[in-house]
Amino acid sequence: MRKKIVAGNWKMNTTVAEGVELAKAVAAGSAKVPADVKLIIAPPFTHLVPVAEAIKGTAIGLSAQNCADKEKGAYTGEVAADMLVSAGCQYTILGHSERRQYYGETDAKLVEKVKLAIANGLSPIFCVGENLEEREAGRHFDVVTEQVKNVLYTLSAEDMAKVIIAYEPVWAIGTGKTATAEQAQEIHACIRKVIAEKFGALSEEITILYGGSCKPSNAKELFACPDIDGGLIGGAALKADDFIAIALSY
Ligand code: PGA
């Protein structure tokens, strides 16, 4: 049985005080969520320590939104994987399209980040997804296949088992345009097949999340698809009620 996960990516939103309040509201609402649906929240770096405290005693997982591609040292402004662990994280998002697009994150850098995250005990939430131009050109399967292969094919099976994949079509992120359940399912199935080509039956164990304008009104249909194992939620994760309602859509 694959793990079902609903993860909230807060992006660059909320002050520390607002973030702690949001985490507390998610913690309160989490009591209603069935035990087989794992909730994860990914606040900004500055919020991790107090948010870890706010969700203590709950089953909610804590994730960062990025980590450095270097172990430690003179890399001003970067945050290393072991620092995230010491702040209370079990996960980190890596390769989000906003990082790829605005901060020049390459597959080569992501190989380093994914490996360092895993070596330090974090599970990466590794994001892939095509942009609008690529989808319109009919290249979405190829783009996603390449993103998966370039980074995840460098891992051992033991390390691959720790990875969560998130498929996030760039044209659906923050735009209100969700991929249809059919569009999402066919890419998720493709990702699982690409993982199977290298890692065999392990592909059946890998959680693949959908992200991109996922909200309470469309979560149920998406989560009903056989290869969709949950969601990576942006905008709707900033409201505890919506985030919990999405988790309750399972
Ligand atoms: P969105 O963002 O739900 O606001 O579209 C999803 C994401 O980028 O993780």
Side-chain angles (χ1 to χ4, degrees), residues 16-27:
V16 174
E18 288 163 354
V20 167
E21 207 167 301
L22 176 56
K24 284 183 180 163
V26 171

Side-chain angles (χ1 to χ4, degrees), residues 66-84 94 105-106 108-117 119-120 122:
N66 184 25
C67 83
D69 61 336
K70 301 284 192 298
E71 200 137 12
K72 66 170 182 176
Y75 300 102
T76 303
E78 290 294 312
V79 177
D82 71 336
M83 298 174 187
L84 298 177
L94 288 174
E105 207 138 279
T106 59
K109 264 206 161 80
L110 286 168
V111 169
E112 300 306 315
K113 291 186 178 205
V114 167
K115 288 190 172 165
L116 276 171
N120 283 281
L122 295 169

Side-chain angles (χ1 to χ4, degrees), residues 6-33:
V6 175
N9 174 11
W10 295 3
K11 307 193 180 182
M12 197 171 73
N13 292 296
T14 73
T15 61
V16 174
E18 288 163 354
V20 167
E21 207 167 301
L22 176 56
K24 284 183 180 163
V26 171
S30 69
K32 291 184 278 187
V33 176

